[in-house]
Short mmCIF file of all heavy atoms in Angstrom, two decimals:
data_model
loop_
_atom_site.label_atom_id
_atom_site.label_comp_id
_atom_site.label_asym_id
_atom_site.label_seq_id
_atom_site.Cartn_x
_atom_site.Cartn_y
_atom_site.Cartn_z
N PRO Q 856 27.38 -39.17 -44.58
CA PRO Q 856 25.96 -38.88 -44.39
C PRO Q 856 25.16 -40.09 -43.92
O PRO Q 856 24.06 -39.94 -43.38
CB PRO Q 856 25.49 -38.40 -45.75
CG PRO Q 856 26.73 -37.99 -46.47
CD PRO Q 856 27.80 -38.89 -45.97
N ASP Q 857 25.66 -41.29 -44.17
CA ASP Q 857 24.95 -42.48 -43.74
C ASP Q 857 25.02 -42.61 -42.23
O ASP Q 857 25.76 -41.92 -41.54
CB ASP Q 857 25.54 -43.71 -44.42
CG ASP Q 857 25.34 -43.69 -45.92
OD1 ASP Q 857 24.29 -43.16 -46.35
OD2 ASP Q 857 26.22 -44.18 -46.65
N ILE Q 858 24.19 -43.54 -41.73
CA ILE Q 858 24.17 -43.80 -40.29
C ILE Q 858 24.59 -45.24 -40.06
O ILE Q 858 24.80 -46.02 -41.01
CB ILE Q 858 22.76 -43.55 -39.72
CG1 ILE Q 858 21.72 -44.44 -40.40
CG2 ILE Q 858 22.38 -42.08 -39.85
CD1 ILE Q 858 20.33 -44.32 -39.81
N ASP Q 859 24.78 -45.57 -38.81
CA ASP Q 859 25.16 -46.96 -38.46
C ASP Q 859 24.14 -47.94 -39.04
O ASP Q 859 22.94 -47.65 -39.04
CB ASP Q 859 25.24 -47.11 -36.94
CG ASP Q 859 26.42 -46.34 -36.38
OD1 ASP Q 859 27.37 -46.10 -37.15
OD2 ASP Q 859 26.39 -45.98 -35.18
N PRO Q 860 24.62 -49.09 -39.56
CA PRO Q 860 26.03 -49.58 -39.56
C PRO Q 860 26.79 -49.21 -40.81
O PRO Q 860 27.83 -49.83 -41.10
CB PRO Q 860 25.83 -51.08 -39.47
CG PRO Q 860 24.58 -51.31 -40.25
CD PRO Q 860 23.68 -50.12 -40.01
N ASN Q 861 26.30 -48.20 -41.56
CA ASN Q 861 26.95 -47.87 -42.82
C ASN Q 861 27.89 -46.68 -42.68
O ASN Q 861 28.27 -46.06 -43.68
CB ASN Q 861 25.88 -47.54 -43.88
CG ASN Q 861 25.01 -48.74 -44.18
OD1 ASN Q 861 25.50 -49.87 -44.27
ND2 ASN Q 861 23.71 -48.52 -44.30
N ALA Q 862 28.29 -46.35 -41.48
CA ALA Q 862 29.20 -45.22 -41.26
C ALA Q 862 30.49 -45.75 -40.64
O ALA Q 862 31.09 -46.69 -41.12
CB ALA Q 862 28.53 -44.18 -40.39
N GLY Q 863 30.92 -45.16 -39.55
CA GLY Q 863 32.17 -45.56 -38.90
C GLY Q 863 32.04 -46.89 -38.17
O GLY Q 863 30.92 -47.46 -38.06
N PRO Q 864 33.16 -47.44 -37.70
CA PRO Q 864 34.50 -46.81 -37.77
C PRO Q 864 35.07 -46.84 -39.19
O PRO Q 864 34.73 -47.71 -39.98
CB PRO Q 864 35.31 -47.64 -36.80
CG PRO Q 864 34.64 -48.97 -36.78
CD PRO Q 864 33.17 -48.71 -36.95
N PHE Q 865 35.94 -45.85 -39.45
CA PHE Q 865 36.48 -45.67 -40.78
C PHE Q 865 37.94 -46.12 -40.84
O PHE Q 865 38.65 -46.08 -39.83
CB PHE Q 865 36.38 -44.19 -41.21
CG PHE Q 865 34.96 -43.68 -41.24
CD1 PHE Q 865 34.43 -42.98 -40.16
CD2 PHE Q 865 34.15 -43.91 -42.34
CE1 PHE Q 865 33.14 -42.51 -40.18
CE2 PHE Q 865 32.86 -43.44 -42.38
CZ PHE Q 865 32.35 -42.74 -41.30
N ALA Q 866 38.36 -46.50 -42.05
CA ALA Q 866 39.76 -46.87 -42.30
C ALA Q 866 40.40 -45.76 -43.11
O ALA Q 866 39.83 -45.31 -44.12
CB ALA Q 866 39.85 -48.19 -43.03
N PHE Q 867 41.60 -45.28 -42.69
CA PHE Q 867 42.32 -44.20 -43.35
C PHE Q 867 43.63 -44.76 -43.94
O PHE Q 867 44.34 -45.51 -43.25
CB PHE Q 867 42.65 -43.07 -42.35
CG PHE Q 867 41.44 -42.47 -41.70
CD1 PHE Q 867 40.88 -43.01 -40.54
CD2 PHE Q 867 40.83 -41.35 -42.25
CE1 PHE Q 867 39.78 -42.45 -39.95
CE2 PHE Q 867 39.72 -40.79 -41.65
CZ PHE Q 867 39.19 -41.33 -40.50
N GLU Q 868 43.97 -44.40 -45.17
CA GLU Q 868 45.24 -44.80 -45.78
C GLU Q 868 45.59 -43.85 -46.90
O GLU Q 868 44.73 -43.11 -47.40
CB GLU Q 868 45.15 -46.23 -46.32
CG GLU Q 868 44.07 -46.44 -47.38
CD GLU Q 868 44.05 -47.88 -47.86
OE1 GLU Q 868 45.02 -48.58 -47.59
OE2 GLU Q 868 43.05 -48.25 -48.49
N LEU Q 869 46.90 -43.87 -47.23
CA LEU Q 869 47.38 -43.03 -48.33
C LEU Q 869 47.50 -43.87 -49.58
O LEU Q 869 47.85 -45.07 -49.53
CB LEU Q 869 48.74 -42.43 -47.96
CG LEU Q 869 48.74 -41.49 -46.74
CD1 LEU Q 869 50.17 -41.05 -46.41
CD2 LEU Q 869 47.85 -40.28 -46.97
N PRO Q 870 47.23 -43.30 -50.77
CA PRO Q 870 47.32 -44.08 -52.00
C PRO Q 870 48.78 -44.38 -52.36
O PRO Q 870 49.71 -43.71 -51.90
CB PRO Q 870 46.63 -43.18 -53.02
CG PRO Q 870 46.84 -41.79 -52.50
CD PRO Q 870 46.78 -41.89 -51.02
N ASP Q 871 48.95 -45.40 -53.20
CA ASP Q 871 50.31 -45.78 -53.62
C ASP Q 871 50.86 -44.82 -54.65
O ASP Q 871 52.11 -44.68 -54.77
CB ASP Q 871 50.27 -47.21 -54.18
CG ASP Q 871 49.90 -48.22 -53.10
OD1 ASP Q 871 50.16 -47.92 -51.90
OD2 ASP Q 871 49.29 -49.26 -53.43
N THR Q 872 49.99 -44.19 -55.39
CA THR Q 872 50.46 -43.25 -56.41
C THR Q 872 49.85 -41.89 -56.13
O THR Q 872 48.67 -41.81 -55.70
CB THR Q 872 50.02 -43.72 -57.81
OG1 THR Q 872 48.60 -43.84 -57.86
CG2 THR Q 872 50.69 -45.03 -58.16
N PRO Q 873 50.59 -40.87 -56.35
CA PRO Q 873 52.03 -40.88 -56.68
C PRO Q 873 52.89 -41.32 -55.50
O PRO Q 873 52.43 -41.24 -54.34
CB PRO Q 873 52.28 -39.44 -57.09
CG PRO Q 873 51.28 -38.64 -56.32
CD PRO Q 873 50.03 -39.48 -56.26
N ALA Q 874 54.10 -41.71 -55.82
CA ALA Q 874 54.98 -42.26 -54.76
C ALA Q 874 55.37 -41.21 -53.77
O ALA Q 874 55.73 -41.53 -52.62
CB ALA Q 874 56.20 -42.89 -55.42
N SER Q 875 55.35 -39.95 -54.17
CA SER Q 875 55.79 -38.89 -53.25
C SER Q 875 54.85 -38.75 -52.06
O SER Q 875 55.23 -38.22 -51.02
CB SER Q 875 55.87 -37.56 -53.98
OG SER Q 875 54.59 -37.21 -54.53
N ILE Q 876 53.62 -39.22 -52.20
CA ILE Q 876 52.67 -39.07 -51.09
C ILE Q 876 53.12 -39.89 -49.90
O ILE Q 876 53.26 -39.38 -48.78
CB ILE Q 876 51.25 -39.48 -51.55
CG1 ILE Q 876 50.77 -38.55 -52.68
CG2 ILE Q 876 50.28 -39.41 -50.39
CD1 ILE Q 876 50.69 -37.10 -52.31
N LYS Q 877 53.34 -41.18 -50.12
CA LYS Q 877 53.77 -42.01 -49.00
C LYS Q 877 55.19 -41.69 -48.57
O LYS Q 877 55.58 -41.96 -47.43
CB LYS Q 877 53.66 -43.49 -49.38
CG LYS Q 877 52.23 -44.00 -49.38
CD LYS Q 877 52.19 -45.51 -49.50
CE LYS Q 877 50.76 -46.04 -49.37
NZ LYS Q 877 50.70 -47.52 -49.43
N ARG Q 878 55.99 -41.14 -49.53
CA ARG Q 878 57.36 -40.80 -49.15
C ARG Q 878 57.37 -39.59 -48.22
O ARG Q 878 58.18 -39.51 -47.29
CB ARG Q 878 58.17 -40.52 -50.42
CG ARG Q 878 59.66 -40.22 -50.11
CD ARG Q 878 60.48 -40.09 -51.37
NE ARG Q 878 60.05 -38.94 -52.16
CZ ARG Q 878 59.45 -39.02 -53.31
NH1 ARG Q 878 59.17 -40.22 -53.84
NH2 ARG Q 878 59.08 -37.94 -53.98
N ASN Q 879 56.48 -38.63 -48.45
CA ASN Q 879 56.49 -37.40 -47.64
C ASN Q 879 55.54 -37.45 -46.44
O ASN Q 879 55.75 -36.75 -45.46
CB ASN Q 879 56.13 -36.21 -48.53
CG ASN Q 879 57.15 -35.98 -49.61
OD1 ASN Q 879 58.31 -36.37 -49.49
ND2 ASN Q 879 56.72 -35.34 -50.70
N TRP Q 880 54.50 -38.27 -46.53
CA TRP Q 880 53.45 -38.20 -45.51
C TRP Q 880 53.19 -39.58 -44.92
O TRP Q 880 53.46 -40.60 -45.56
CB TRP Q 880 52.14 -37.65 -46.09
CG TRP Q 880 52.31 -36.32 -46.76
CD1 TRP Q 880 52.57 -36.09 -48.06
CD2 TRP Q 880 52.23 -35.06 -46.12
NE1 TRP Q 880 52.66 -34.76 -48.32
CE2 TRP Q 880 52.45 -34.07 -47.10
CE3 TRP Q 880 52.03 -34.64 -44.80
CZ2 TRP Q 880 52.45 -32.71 -46.83
CZ3 TRP Q 880 52.02 -33.28 -44.54
CH2 TRP Q 880 52.23 -32.32 -45.54
N THR Q 881 52.60 -39.56 -43.76
CA THR Q 881 52.13 -40.76 -43.08
C THR Q 881 50.83 -40.44 -42.36
O THR Q 881 50.60 -39.30 -41.92
CB THR Q 881 53.18 -41.29 -42.08
OG1 THR Q 881 52.66 -42.49 -41.47
CG2 THR Q 881 53.47 -40.28 -41.00
N ILE Q 882 49.93 -41.44 -42.25
CA ILE Q 882 48.64 -41.23 -41.60
C ILE Q 882 48.39 -42.33 -40.60
O ILE Q 882 48.71 -43.50 -40.84
CB ILE Q 882 47.50 -41.16 -42.64
CG1 ILE Q 882 46.19 -40.71 -41.97
CG2 ILE Q 882 47.32 -42.46 -43.38
CD1 ILE Q 882 45.10 -40.37 -42.96
N VAL Q 883 47.85 -41.97 -39.44
CA VAL Q 883 47.59 -42.92 -38.36
C VAL Q 883 46.18 -42.67 -37.84
O VAL Q 883 45.79 -41.52 -37.56
CB VAL Q 883 48.61 -42.75 -37.22
CG1 VAL Q 883 48.29 -43.72 -36.09
CG2 VAL Q 883 50.03 -42.98 -37.72
N ARG Q 884 45.35 -43.75 -37.73
CA ARG Q 884 43.99 -43.61 -37.19
C ARG Q 884 44.07 -43.55 -35.67
O ARG Q 884 44.70 -44.42 -35.04
CB ARG Q 884 43.11 -44.77 -37.62
CG ARG Q 884 41.62 -44.54 -37.31
CD ARG Q 884 40.75 -45.66 -37.76
NE ARG Q 884 40.89 -46.82 -36.89
CZ ARG Q 884 40.09 -47.89 -36.92
NH1 ARG Q 884 39.14 -47.95 -37.84
NH2 ARG Q 884 40.29 -48.90 -36.10
N ILE Q 885 43.44 -42.55 -35.08
CA ILE Q 885 43.47 -42.41 -33.62
C ILE Q 885 42.13 -42.78 -32.99
O ILE Q 885 42.04 -42.96 -31.79
CB ILE Q 885 43.86 -40.98 -33.23
CG1 ILE Q 885 42.88 -39.97 -33.85
CG2 ILE Q 885 45.28 -40.66 -33.68
CD1 ILE Q 885 43.16 -38.54 -33.47
N SER Q 886 41.04 -42.87 -33.79
CA SER Q 886 39.74 -43.33 -33.28
C SER Q 886 38.92 -43.78 -34.47
O SER Q 886 39.39 -43.77 -35.61
CB SER Q 886 39.02 -42.22 -32.50
OG SER Q 886 38.66 -41.16 -33.36
N GLY Q 887 37.67 -44.17 -34.25
CA GLY Q 887 36.84 -44.67 -35.33
C GLY Q 887 36.56 -43.62 -36.39
O GLY Q 887 36.38 -43.94 -37.56
N ASP Q 888 36.52 -42.33 -36.00
CA ASP Q 888 36.20 -41.28 -36.95
C ASP Q 888 37.35 -40.33 -37.20
O ASP Q 888 37.25 -39.45 -38.06
CB ASP Q 888 34.99 -40.47 -36.44
CG ASP Q 888 33.75 -41.32 -36.32
OD1 ASP Q 888 33.67 -42.34 -37.02
OD2 ASP Q 888 32.85 -40.96 -35.53
N HIS Q 889 38.46 -40.45 -36.47
CA HIS Q 889 39.52 -39.46 -36.53
C HIS Q 889 40.85 -40.14 -36.86
O HIS Q 889 41.09 -41.29 -36.49
CB HIS Q 889 39.66 -38.70 -35.21
CG HIS Q 889 38.37 -38.05 -34.78
ND1 HIS Q 889 37.92 -36.88 -35.30
CD2 HIS Q 889 37.43 -38.45 -33.87
CE1 HIS Q 889 36.77 -36.56 -34.74
NE2 HIS Q 889 36.45 -37.52 -33.86
N ALA Q 890 41.70 -39.36 -37.58
CA ALA Q 890 43.05 -39.83 -37.92
C ALA Q 890 44.00 -38.65 -37.84
O ALA Q 890 43.57 -37.48 -37.75
CB ALA Q 890 43.08 -40.45 -39.29
N GLN Q 891 45.30 -38.93 -37.89
CA GLN Q 891 46.33 -37.89 -37.76
C GLN Q 891 47.30 -38.02 -38.92
O GLN Q 891 47.89 -39.09 -39.14
CB GLN Q 891 47.05 -38.03 -36.41
CG GLN Q 891 47.81 -36.79 -36.01
CD GLN Q 891 48.32 -36.90 -34.60
OE1 GLN Q 891 49.22 -37.71 -34.34
NE2 GLN Q 891 47.75 -36.12 -33.69
N LEU Q 892 47.47 -36.92 -39.67
CA LEU Q 892 48.39 -36.86 -40.81
C LEU Q 892 49.62 -36.07 -40.38
O LEU Q 892 49.50 -34.99 -39.80
CB LEU Q 892 47.71 -36.17 -42.00
CG LEU Q 892 48.54 -36.00 -43.25
CD1 LEU Q 892 48.83 -37.39 -43.89
CD2 LEU Q 892 47.81 -35.11 -44.26
#
Side-chain angles (χ1 to χ4, degrees):
D857 295 327
I858 59 175
D859 290 337
N861 297 319
F865 300 96
F867 301 87
E868 59 180 345
L869 298 175
D871 295 334
T872 58
S875 60
I876 298 300
K877 285 191 175 182
R878 183 174 65 248
N879 296 337
W880 305 92
T881 181
I882 189 169
V883 178
R884 191 179 74 169
I885 57 177
S886 66
D888 298 336
H889 304 281
Q891 198 171 69
L892 179 68

